Amino acid sequence: MNSSIKQFCQSFTIPCGFTDAESQVYTNAAMIDILGMTAASSQVLDVFHAHEEVMRDKKLPLSLLSTLPGGDKPSPQPWRFDFFPRFDEKNVYQGAFFYAQPFLFLSLLEYIEGESPYTINLIQSDNRFSPRERRIIFFTLQRLNSKEVGKKLNLSHRTIENKLQSIYQTAGVHNCRQFINYCHDNGINRYLPPEFLPSGSHVISV
């Protein structure tokens, strides 16, 4: 990999890198910080190499959703990695350019309600609600009813309903609609209990 490509990558403040046709990898410091390990051993690049031939033949970007180990960070985080195939003037494959950004979430319901995509929060920022209550809140915000939440958490729907009344009282609201607004106002809707976060890297599109 020539020095001009390395200098180009190093000049970026966003996490990025290049691979060549022989699968050698170069990343800038920001990408190394995200990967939390040597680039060659990263699970992200393992998935990329497993799908590189398809990306090359289709001449289309490869996108991955990856939950990376925390390392010296407070918790794992979901990241989106986009790989773009590179070809020379003779249409010979030269490797890929790739970059990473925090994965943005948005449900269809949030979309039609005019919400903007957002990053999730895996750290409980206050102590108003217990970890058990946070799990109930998470599923309630996904519009699951008490029976559905109870099934997810192996609890009776009566237990969920009683817990929700206690949660409403803590929040100072009287019903689910008011509580949803309360969660949006306080950023609780962006909280994902860490135990629900999938591990590994998954292909989004190629």
Side-chain angles (χ1 to χ4, degrees):
M1 192 174 296
N2 63 50
S3 59
S4 62
I5 292 180
K6 291 183 179 181
Q7 290 174 359
F8 173 79
C9 182
Q10 196 63 45
S11 68
F12 274 69
T13 56
I14 63 170
C16 65
F18 285 91
T19 68
D20 62 19
E22 285 73 44
S23 297
Q24 291 185 328
V25 179
Y26 176 81
T27 64
N28 64 4
M31 179 64 78
I32 289 293
D33 183 58
I34 289 175
L35 295 178
M37 57 186 78
T38 61
S41 65
S42 167
Q43 58 177 312
V44 175
L45 293 172
D46 290 342
V47 176
F48 161 71
H49 289 311
H51 294 83
E52 184 175 11
E53 185 176 349
V54 176
M55 178 197 72
R56 180 197 65 200
D57 292 345
K58 288 186 175 182
K59 298 183 178 179
L60 292 173
L62 168 67
S63 298
L64 307 178
L65 171 58
S66 301
T67 301
L68 299 181
D72 58 357
K73 301 177 180 63
S75 63
Q77 291 289 330
W79 290 84
R80 174 174 177 146
F81 287 79
D82 291 297
F83 294 80
F84 298 88
R86 299 183 296 114
F87 297 88
D88 64 15
E89 64 278 1
K90 296 182 180 179
N91 207 31
V92 176
Y93 180 66
Q94 297 296 306
F97 168 76
F98 63 98
Y99 73 95
Q101 60 183 325
F103 192 85
L104 299 179
F105 290 80
L106 187 70
S107 71
L108 293 177
L109 183 58
E110 289 170 324
Y111 172 69
I112 65 174
E113 290 180 346
E115 298 288 337
S116 298
Y118 53 84
T119 57
I120 61 171
N121 178 19
L122 296 166
I123 300 174
Q124 186 170 320
S125 58
D126 60 67
N127 296 316
R128 284 175 289 181
F129 304 105
S130 69
R132 187 186 194 186
E133 289 173 329
R134 286 279 184 165
R135 291 190 284 271
I136 294 172
I137 290 170
F138 171 77
F139 286 120
T140 299
L141 291 175
Q142 312 314 308
R143 307 309 204 265
L144 273 64
N145 61 38
S146 296
K147 288 185 178 180
E148 292 169 327
V149 175
K151 187 175 181 180
K152 290 284 188 182
L153 299 177
N154 295 316
L155 297 170
S156 72
H157 74 278
R158 295 291 186 191
T159 298
I160 299 300
E161 289 172 356
N162 290 336
K163 279 290 184 182
L164 280 173
Q165 290 306 312
S166 176
I167 288 169
Y168 292 167
Q169 185 175 6
T170 300
V173 300
H174 303 287
N175 54 53
C176 186
R177 182 69 258 175
Q178 290 177 349
F179 183 66
I180 290 173
N181 291 336
Y182 169 87
C183 289
H184 278 260
D185 290 343
N186 290 275
I188 296 173
N189 63 306
R190 300 186 177 192
Y191 175 74
L192 173 66
E195 61 268 28
F196 295 158
L197 187 66
S199 61
S201 298
H202 311 279
V203 174
I204 301 174
S205 64
V206 64

